[in-house]
Amino acid sequence: MIIDLQPKELQNEWIKLAPLQEHDFDELYEVASDPLVWEQHPNTLRYQKPVFQNFFEGAIQSNGAFFIREATTNEAIGSSRFYNYNPENNSILIGYTFLGRKFWGNGYNKALKKLMMDYAFQFVDTIYFHIGACNIRSQKAIEKIGGIKIDEFEVTYYGEDSKLNYIYRINKS
């Protein structure tokens, strides 16, 4: 069975994910325009509209990106995506995640990761996460849910220079 990288809608009691669409740009940019959202991410300038436009284009072209909304209010929270599905080693990556500051530290990121992992583990045995070397907040968050750092290497983001990332792994078992 092959995984659908963009199922039409995934939802739990906290959040709902819908495939990212071109018409979502303005609403998602409202969340992304806060410089503090990006202060630990590999590209700290993504709050700038032209830089975010490039990030958004990469998300659309990935065919695995989601618009994250609050489940009860429908408020825009951020974005994440599935990518690099590898049927040979039965794995996938989850990443390019950002959340508005209103949703930090109160369970939304954990709910997002659980929702995406529960879905992906129906199809794969291993999930990897690329996390920027300076993104201490995300590193701690992934470790809290069982992620193990297994490697470091340069990752080239769509239309951007490569940046050092840490690779974390969570196995289905």
Side-chain angles (χ1 to χ4, degrees):
M1 187 171 0
I2 295 176
I3 188 170
D4 177 358
L5 295 182
Q6 241 178 354
K8 296 302 174 216
E9 192 167 309
L10 293 173
Q11 184 169 346
N12 61 25
E13 64 278 1
W14 290 74
I15 58 168
K16 55 185 174 180
L17 305 180
L20 189 65
Q21 305 291 315
E22 293 280 352
H23 63 80
D24 295 325
F25 179 83
D26 290 333
E27 190 177 7
L28 191 58
Y29 181 65
E30 278 188 50
V31 177
S33 64
D34 178 353
L36 293 178
V37 166
W38 303 102
E39 71 179 346
Q40 293 186 21
H41 281 256
N43 185 338
T44 59
L45 301 178
R46 285 192 189 136
Y47 68 91
Q48 297 174 355
K49 198 167 194 174
V51 179
F52 184 75
Q53 179 69 49
N54 180 71
F55 176 84
F56 187 84
E57 286 172 18
I60 293 292
Q61 289 185 20
S62 77
N63 295 314
F66 295 96
F67 195 148
I68 308 165
R69 293 185 178 278
E70 207 282 333
T72 55
T73 66
N74 211 38
E75 185 176 354
I77 292 177
S79 182
S80 190
R81 68 180 96 156
F82 290 120
Y83 61 104
N84 289 8
Y85 170 61
N86 186 329
E88 287 78 37
N89 75 1
N90 205 19
S91 69
I92 197 163
L93 277 102
I94 294 175
Y96 294 91
T97 304
F98 74 93
L99 307 177
R101 283 192 292 149
K102 175 180 178 179
F103 300 96
W104 291 1
N106 51 19
Y108 284 93
N109 186 48
K110 186 176 182 180
L112 169 67
K113 295 299 190 286
K114 180 173 177 10
L115 181 62
M116 292 181 78
M117 290 188 325
D118 286 351
Y119 172 75
F121 279 139
Q122 296 175 63
F123 305 93
V124 301
D125 292 327
T126 305
I127 299 174
Y128 295 100
F129 301 82
H130 289 159
I131 299 177
C134 296
N135 196 336
I136 306 303
R137 186 171 31 254
S138 291
Q139 292 167 28
K140 288 181 179 181
I142 202 69
E143 289 169 358
K144 281 183 184 177
I145 62 169
I148 298 168
K149 182 182 169 190
I150 60 165
D151 204 354
E152 302 177 11
F153 68 85
E154 298 280 324
V155 173
T156 302
Y157 294 94
Y158 179 85
E160 298 178 355
D161 294 332
S162 63
K163 304 284 184 180
L164 181 63
N165 275 242
Y166 295 162
I167 312 309
Y168 285 82
R169 177 184 66 217
I170 296 179
N171 291 324
K172 186 176 186 175
S173 59

PDB file of all heavy atoms in Angstrom, residues 2-20:
ATOM      1  N   ILE A   2       0.602   2.187  -0.882  1.00  0.00           N
ATOM      2  CA  ILE A   2       1.378   3.417  -0.998  1.00  0.00           C
ATOM      3  C   ILE A   2       0.659   4.533  -0.242  1.00  0.00           C
ATOM      4  O   ILE A   2      -0.552   4.685  -0.347  1.00  0.00           O
ATOM      5  CB  ILE A   2       1.578   3.806  -2.475  1.00  0.00           C
ATOM      6  CG1 ILE A   2       2.430   2.739  -3.168  1.00  0.00           C
ATOM      7  CG2 ILE A   2       2.214   5.177  -2.594  1.00  0.00           C
ATOM      8  CD1 ILE A   2       2.612   2.966  -4.641  1.00  0.00           C
ATOM      9  N   ILE A   3       1.424   5.316   0.479  1.00  0.00           N
ATOM     10  CA  ILE A   3       0.870   6.408   1.277  1.00  0.00           C
ATOM     11  C   ILE A   3       0.430   7.571   0.390  1.00  0.00           C
ATOM     12  O   ILE A   3       1.105   7.922  -0.575  1.00  0.00           O
ATOM     13  CB  ILE A   3       1.901   6.877   2.334  1.00  0.00           C
ATOM     14  CG1 ILE A   3       1.284   7.875   3.304  1.00  0.00           C
ATOM     15  CG2 ILE A   3       3.139   7.449   1.665  1.00  0.00           C
ATOM     16  CD1 ILE A   3       2.161   8.187   4.507  1.00  0.00           C
ATOM     17  N   ASP A   4      -0.700   8.146   0.712  1.00  0.00           N
ATOM     18  CA  ASP A   4      -1.162   9.390   0.097  1.00  0.00           C
ATOM     19  C   ASP A   4      -0.524  10.511   0.913  1.00  0.00           C
ATOM     20  O   ASP A   4      -0.826  10.664   2.101  1.00  0.00           O
ATOM     21  CB  ASP A   4      -2.689   9.462   0.164  1.00  0.00           C
ATOM     22  CG  ASP A   4      -3.263  10.757  -0.399  1.00  0.00           C
ATOM     23  OD1 ASP A   4      -2.489  11.638  -0.817  1.00  0.00           O
ATOM     24  OD2 ASP A   4      -4.506  10.874  -0.408  1.00  0.00           O
ATOM     25  N   LEU A   5       0.378  11.287   0.298  1.00  0.00           N
ATOM     26  CA  LEU A   5       1.089  12.327   1.035  1.00  0.00           C
ATOM     27  C   LEU A   5       0.201  13.507   1.419  1.00  0.00           C
ATOM     28  O   LEU A   5       0.592  14.332   2.239  1.00  0.00           O
ATOM     29  CB  LEU A   5       2.271  12.848   0.207  1.00  0.00           C
ATOM     30  CG  LEU A   5       3.381  11.857  -0.088  1.00  0.00           C
ATOM     31  CD1 LEU A   5       4.495  12.528  -0.877  1.00  0.00           C
ATOM     32  CD2 LEU A   5       3.927  11.248   1.194  1.00  0.00           C
ATOM     33  N   GLN A   6      -0.974  13.593   0.821  1.00  0.00           N
ATOM     34  CA  GLN A   6      -1.876  14.707   1.105  1.00  0.00           C
ATOM     35  C   GLN A   6      -3.319  14.225   1.203  1.00  0.00           C
ATOM     36  O   GLN A   6      -4.163  14.592   0.396  1.00  0.00           O
ATOM     37  CB  GLN A   6      -1.760  15.762  -0.001  1.00  0.00           C
ATOM     38  CG  GLN A   6      -1.310  17.092   0.465  1.00  0.00           C
ATOM     39  CD  GLN A   6      -1.171  18.070  -0.683  1.00  0.00           C
ATOM     40  OE1 GLN A   6      -1.302  17.748  -1.854  1.00  0.00           O
ATOM     41  NE2 GLN A   6      -0.885  19.295  -0.328  1.00  0.00           N
ATOM     42  N   PRO A   7      -3.605  13.398   2.226  1.00  0.00           N
ATOM     43  CA  PRO A   7      -5.001  12.985   2.359  1.00  0.00           C
ATOM     44  C   PRO A   7      -5.890  14.215   2.532  1.00  0.00           C
ATOM     45  O   PRO A   7      -5.445  15.245   3.038  1.00  0.00           O
ATOM     46  CB  PRO A   7      -4.996  12.115   3.617  1.00  0.00           C
ATOM     47  CG  PRO A   7      -3.750  12.460   4.346  1.00  0.00           C
ATOM     48  CD  PRO A   7      -2.776  12.935   3.327  1.00  0.00           C
ATOM     49  N   LYS A   8      -7.105  14.102   2.067  1.00  0.00           N
ATOM     50  CA  LYS A   8      -7.985  15.280   1.986  1.00  0.00           C
ATOM     51  C   LYS A   8      -8.189  15.977   3.316  1.00  0.00           C
ATOM     52  O   LYS A   8      -8.291  17.185   3.376  1.00  0.00           O
ATOM     53  CB  LYS A   8      -9.344  14.899   1.386  1.00  0.00           C
ATOM     54  CG  LYS A   8      -9.222  14.430  -0.045  1.00  0.00           C
ATOM     55  CD  LYS A   8      -8.570  15.498  -0.913  1.00  0.00           C
ATOM     56  CE  LYS A   8      -8.310  14.993  -2.297  1.00  0.00           C
ATOM     57  NZ  LYS A   8      -7.103  15.459  -2.910  1.00  0.00           N
ATOM     58  N   GLU A   9      -8.289  15.245   4.388  1.00  0.00           N
ATOM     59  CA  GLU A   9      -8.395  15.898   5.691  1.00  0.00           C
ATOM     60  C   GLU A   9      -8.051  14.916   6.795  1.00  0.00           C
ATOM     61  O   GLU A   9      -8.567  13.813   6.835  1.00  0.00           O
ATOM     62  CB  GLU A   9      -9.783  16.490   5.910  1.00  0.00           C
ATOM     63  CG  GLU A   9      -9.814  17.409   7.117  1.00  0.00           C
ATOM     64  CD  GLU A   9     -11.076  18.248   7.189  1.00  0.00           C
ATOM     65  OE1 GLU A   9     -11.429  18.905   6.199  1.00  0.00           O
ATOM     66  OE2 GLU A   9     -11.694  18.243   8.269  1.00  0.00           O
ATOM     67  N   LEU A  10      -7.161  15.347   7.648  1.00  0.00           N
ATOM     68  CA  LEU A  10      -6.822  14.616   8.868  1.00  0.00           C
ATOM     69  C   LEU A  10      -7.228  15.518  10.026  1.00  0.00           C
ATOM     70  O   LEU A  10      -7.000  16.724   9.985  1.00  0.00           O
ATOM     71  CB  LEU A  10      -5.316  14.345   8.938  1.00  0.00           C
ATOM     72  CG  LEU A  10      -4.718  13.392   7.919  1.00  0.00           C
ATOM     73  CD1 LEU A  10      -3.191  13.374   8.035  1.00  0.00           C
ATOM     74  CD2 LEU A  10      -5.270  11.993   8.121  1.00  0.00           C
ATOM     75  N   GLN A  11      -7.803  14.925  11.071  1.00  0.00           N
ATOM     76  CA  GLN A  11      -8.287  15.755  12.166  1.00  0.00           C
ATOM     77  C   GLN A  11      -8.252  14.977  13.467  1.00  0.00           C
ATOM     78  O   GLN A  11      -8.447  13.764  13.497  1.00  0.00           O
ATOM     79  CB  GLN A  11      -9.718  16.221  11.872  1.00  0.00           C
ATOM     80  CG  GLN A  11     -10.281  17.158  12.905  1.00  0.00           C
ATOM     81  CD  GLN A  11     -11.589  17.805  12.465  1.00  0.00           C
ATOM     82  OE1 GLN A  11     -11.960  17.765  11.301  1.00  0.00           O
ATOM     83  NE2 GLN A  11     -12.274  18.417  13.418  1.00  0.00           N
ATOM     84  N   ASN A  12      -8.003  15.701  14.556  1.00  0.00           N
ATOM     85  CA  ASN A  12      -8.196  15.177  15.903  1.00  0.00           C
ATOM     86  C   ASN A  12      -8.912  16.265  16.706  1.00  0.00           C
ATOM     87  O   ASN A  12      -9.400  17.235  16.126  1.00  0.00           O
ATOM     88  CB  ASN A  12      -6.864  14.725  16.533  1.00  0.00           C
ATOM     89  CG  ASN A  12      -5.832  15.827  16.676  1.00  0.00           C
ATOM     90  OD1 ASN A  12      -6.155  17.016  16.753  1.00  0.00           O
ATOM     91  ND2 ASN A  12      -4.569  15.443  16.709  1.00  0.00           N
ATOM     92  N   GLU A  13      -8.971  16.120  18.021  1.00  0.00           N
ATOM     93  CA  GLU A  13      -9.724  17.094  18.827  1.00  0.00           C
ATOM     94  C   GLU A  13      -9.050  18.467  18.889  1.00  0.00           C
ATOM     95  O   GLU A  13      -9.675  19.459  19.242  1.00  0.00           O
ATOM     96  CB  GLU A  13      -9.977  16.551  20.241  1.00  0.00           C
ATOM     97  CG  GLU A  13      -8.724  16.320  21.077  1.00  0.00           C
ATOM     98  CD  GLU A  13      -8.025  14.994  20.783  1.00  0.00           C
ATOM     99  OE1 GLU A  13      -8.467  14.215  19.908  1.00  0.00           O
ATOM    100  OE2 GLU A  13      -6.992  14.746  21.422  1.00  0.00           O
ATOM    101  N   TRP A  14      -7.760  18.550  18.518  1.00  0.00           N
ATOM    102  CA  TRP A  14      -7.007  19.796  18.604  1.00  0.00           C
ATOM    103  C   TRP A  14      -6.917  20.533  17.269  1.00  0.00           C
ATOM    104  O   TRP A  14      -7.028  21.750  17.232  1.00  0.00           O
ATOM    105  CB  TRP A  14      -5.573  19.505  19.050  1.00  0.00           C
ATOM    106  CG  TRP A  14      -5.428  19.064  20.461  1.00  0.00           C
ATOM    107  CD1 TRP A  14      -5.754  17.836  20.980  1.00  0.00           C
ATOM    108  CD2 TRP A  14      -4.920  19.820  21.543  1.00  0.00           C
ATOM    109  NE1 TRP A  14      -5.455  17.796  22.304  1.00  0.00           N
ATOM    110  CE2 TRP A  14      -4.944  19.001  22.677  1.00  0.00           C
ATOM    111  CE3 TRP A  14      -4.424  21.118  21.654  1.00  0.00           C
ATOM    112  CZ2 TRP A  14      -4.495  19.438  23.916  1.00  0.00           C
ATOM    113  CZ3 TRP A  14      -3.980  21.549  22.886  1.00  0.00           C
ATOM    114  CH2 TRP A  14      -4.030  20.711  24.005  1.00  0.00           C
ATOM    115  N   ILE A  15      -6.616  19.770  16.226  1.00  0.00           N
ATOM    116  CA  ILE A  15      -6.290  20.388  14.940  1.00  0.00           C
ATOM    117  C   ILE A  15      -6.940  19.647  13.786  1.00  0.00           C
ATOM    118  O   ILE A  15      -7.364  18.503  13.923  1.00  0.00           O
ATOM    119  CB  ILE A  15      -4.761  20.409  14.692  1.00  0.00           C
ATOM    120  CG1 ILE A  15      -4.208  18.993  14.739  1.00  0.00           C
ATOM    121  CG2 ILE A  15      -4.049  21.325  15.656  1.00  0.00           C
ATOM    122  CD1 ILE A  15      -2.801  18.848  14.235  1.00  0.00           C
ATOM    123  N   LYS A  16      -6.972  20.333  12.654  1.00  0.00           N
ATOM    124  CA  LYS A  16      -7.351  19.677  11.413  1.00  0.00           C
ATOM    125  C   LYS A  16      -6.356  20.106  10.342  1.00  0.00           C
ATOM    126  O   LYS A  16      -5.894  21.247  10.318  1.00  0.00           O
ATOM    127  CB  LYS A  16      -8.791  19.953  11.018  1.00  0.00           C
ATOM    128  CG  LYS A  16      -9.171  21.395  10.902  1.00  0.00           C
ATOM    129  CD  LYS A  16     -10.665  21.506  10.637  1.00  0.00           C
ATOM    130  CE  LYS A  16     -11.112  22.945  10.670  1.00  0.00           C
ATOM    131  NZ  LYS A  16     -12.550  23.071  10.423  1.00  0.00           N
ATOM    132  N   LEU A  17      -6.010  19.154   9.495  1.00  0.00           N
ATOM    133  CA  LEU A  17      -5.078  19.390   8.401  1.00  0.00           C
ATOM    134  C   LEU A  17      -5.832  19.268   7.091  1.00  0.00           C
ATOM    135  O   LEU A  17      -6.591  18.319   6.897  1.00  0.00           O
ATOM    136  CB  LEU A  17      -3.955  18.344   8.411  1.00  0.00           C
ATOM    137  CG  LEU A  17      -3.140  18.183   9.681  1.00  0.00           C
ATOM    138  CD1 LEU A  17      -2.078  17.095   9.494  1.00  0.00           C
ATOM    139  CD2 LEU A  17      -2.496  19.488  10.067  1.00  0.00           C
ATOM    140  N   ALA A  18      -5.584  20.213   6.204  1.00  0.00           N
ATOM    141  CA  ALA A  18      -6.142  20.154   4.861  1.00  0.00           C
ATOM    142  C   ALA A  18      -4.993  20.397   3.885  1.00  0.00           C
ATOM    143  O   ALA A  18      -4.065  21.151   4.195  1.00  0.00           O
ATOM    144  CB  ALA A  18      -7.232  21.202   4.675  1.00  0.00           C
ATOM    145  N   PRO A  19      -5.033  19.752   2.720  1.00  0.00           N
ATOM    146  CA  PRO A  19      -3.977  19.993   1.733  1.00  0.00           C
ATOM    147  C   PRO A  19      -3.811  21.491   1.469  1.00  0.00           C
ATOM    148  O   PRO A  19      -4.794  22.210   1.283  1.00  0.00           O
ATOM    149  CB  PRO A  19      -4.478  19.260   0.492  1.00  0.00           C
ATOM    150  CG  PRO A  19      -5.334  18.155   1.041  1.00  0.00           C
ATOM    151  CD  PRO A  19      -6.016  18.775   2.243  1.00  0.00           C
ATOM    152  N   LEU A  20      -2.569  21.949   1.490  1.00  0.00           N
ATOM    153  CA  LEU A  20      -2.268  23.357   1.250  1.00  0.00           C
ATOM    154  C   LEU A  20      -2.608  23.709  -0.193  1.00  0.00           C
ATOM    155  O   LEU A  20      -2.255  22.977  -1.121  1.00  0.00           O
ATOM    156  CB  LEU A  20      -0.783  23.626   1.530  1.00  0.00           C
ATOM    157  CG  LEU A  20      -0.355  25.091   1.526  1.00  0.00           C
ATOM    158  CD1 LEU A  20      -1.028  25.865   2.660  1.00  0.00           C
ATOM    159  CD2 LEU A  20       1.163  25.197   1.652  1.00  0.00           C
TER     160      LEU A  20
END
